[in-house]
Amino acid sequence: DTGVSQDPRHKITKRGQNVTFRCDPISEHNRLYWYRQTLGQGPEFLTYFQNEAQLEKSRLLSDRFSAERPKGSFSTLEIQRTEQGDSAMYLCASSSDFRANTDTQYFGPGTRLTVL
Amino acid sequence: AQTVTQSQPEMSVQEAETVTLSCTYDTSESNYYLFWYKQPPSRQMILVIRQEAYKQQNATENRFSVNFQKAAKSFSLKISDSQLGDTAMYFCAFYNAGNMLTFGGGTRLMVKP
């Protein structure tokens, strides 16, 4: 299996701009997670998809944030009207209902967002 | 809600020696999983080891082993024969089925030559 991939790896934007990140999970993994990690901290959960369905969203996910997984494969995370507090590493992870160790999440390299 | 606490922000160890990283958690669940992930500088999160709460036997993976004390809600990671490549942030994480991972704040481990 190829691992989880994320694009872009780095994004610098000006406050007020919109940004979109993409995550491609491990092939055939039906669960996909987004986390946010600020410097020196552990990742915090943002949202979770099982196939196309977005099953859970954190209170951290304000109305400026939206995530989609239209065909149950790749996912996008969009942040509208970015703020400096959105600067963080955005991590994507995937897992499977159908393979051994279904509880184990595998992480991508992350997208580092800097809002100026 | 679950919480995970890593009380050691930073640790260091000499190459080839053994180090233990601490983790405690709080939950009312009875079925859950615990993980240690490693995040090297500027690199992605890698799974180190996993433990099912229903298993009494402590998990081991080569030089990595855990001491899982369910009643005490403690889950420490022991790294034997430390190598320079073990230098990284280590995160303890809690998971119960169908839900998200809850991470601790991390322990920065430095392996010194």
Side-chain angles (χ1 to χ4, degrees):
Chain A
D1 288 331
T2 56
V4 178
S5 61
Q6 293 187 245
D7 184 68
R9 296 290 304 278
H10 299 93
K11 179 70 177 180
I12 300 174
T13 192
K14 292 183 178 179
R15 189 176 54 184
Q17 298 295 305
N18 299 344
V19 294
T20 301
F21 310 141
R22 175 177 170 130
C23 171
D24 287 86
I26 292 172
S27 177
E28 298 179 357
H29 274 194
N30 61 327
R31 294 180 181 173
L32 188 147
Y33 301 79
W34 286 98
Y35 294 85
R36 182 170 69 186
Q37 185 180 25
T38 53
L39 203 60
Q41 303 297 316
E44 296 175 294
F45 170 76
L46 292 178
T47 191
Y48 153 52
F49 290 85
Q50 179 147 328
N51 301 312
E52 305 88 357
Q54 188 173 18
L55 295 188
E56 194 158 347
K57 293 195 293 185
S58 164
R59 288 171 295 174
L60 292 175
L61 212 67
S62 77
D63 56 6
R64 296 185 298 105
F65 288 69
S66 62
E68 294 183 341
R69 195 182 184 198
K71 297 183 179 179
S73 56
F74 72 91
S75 175
T76 58
L77 177 68
E78 181 184 16
I79 309 174
Q80 296 182 327
R81 306 181 303 280
T82 52
E83 301 173 355
Q84 288 184 327
D86 297 332
S87 295
M89 177 77 84
Y90 290 84
L91 298 171
C92 177
S94 70
S95 67
S96 170
D97 278 343
F98 309 114
R99 298 185 176 182
N101 299 339
T102 60
D103 47 280
T104 300
Q105 295 180 27
Y106 297 91
F107 283 81
T111 294
R112 181 168 296 284
L113 173 66
T114 302
V115 182
L116 302 177
Chain B
Q2 290 78 26
T3 59
V4 179
T5 302
Q6 294 179 247
S7 59
Q8 306 151 315
E10 293 187 3
M11 294 192 72
S12 63
V13 63
Q14 292 296 129
E15 197 175 5
E17 294 190 346
T18 295
V19 64
T20 299
L21 309 183
S22 301
C23 173
T24 57
Y25 60 95
D26 190 22
T27 184
S28 58
E29 302 288 337
S30 56
N31 295 320
Y32 52 87
Y33 302 81
L34 295 163
F35 300 85
W36 280 97
Y37 282 89
K38 166 186 176 181
Q39 190 174 39
S42 301
R43 294 180 63 184
Q44 69 192 80
M45 195 88 70
I46 303 166
L47 176 69
V48 175
I49 200 165
R50 64 192 287 277
Q51 173 80 43
E52 297 92 335
Y54 63 85
K55 288 188 177 179
Q56 292 187 338
Q57 187 173 9
N58 289 325
T60 62
E61 285 289 344
N62 301 315
R63 299 182 295 107
F64 299 89
S65 61
V66 299
N67 183 5
F68 174 48
Q69 302 289 330
K70 191 173 183 179
K73 296 180 181 174
S74 170
F75 182 60
S76 61
L77 174 70
K78 185 171 82 170
I79 306 174
S80 304
D81 185 25
S82 297
Q83 300 176 358
L84 296 178
D86 295 333
T87 292
M89 283 289 288
Y90 285 81
F91 292 99
C92 176
F94 173 101
Y95 174 86
N96 61 304
N99 222 319
M100 79 293 282
L101 286 166
T102 300
F103 286 86
T107 296
R108 185 179 305 279
L109 177 66
M110 173 73 72
V111 180
K112 297 180 178 179

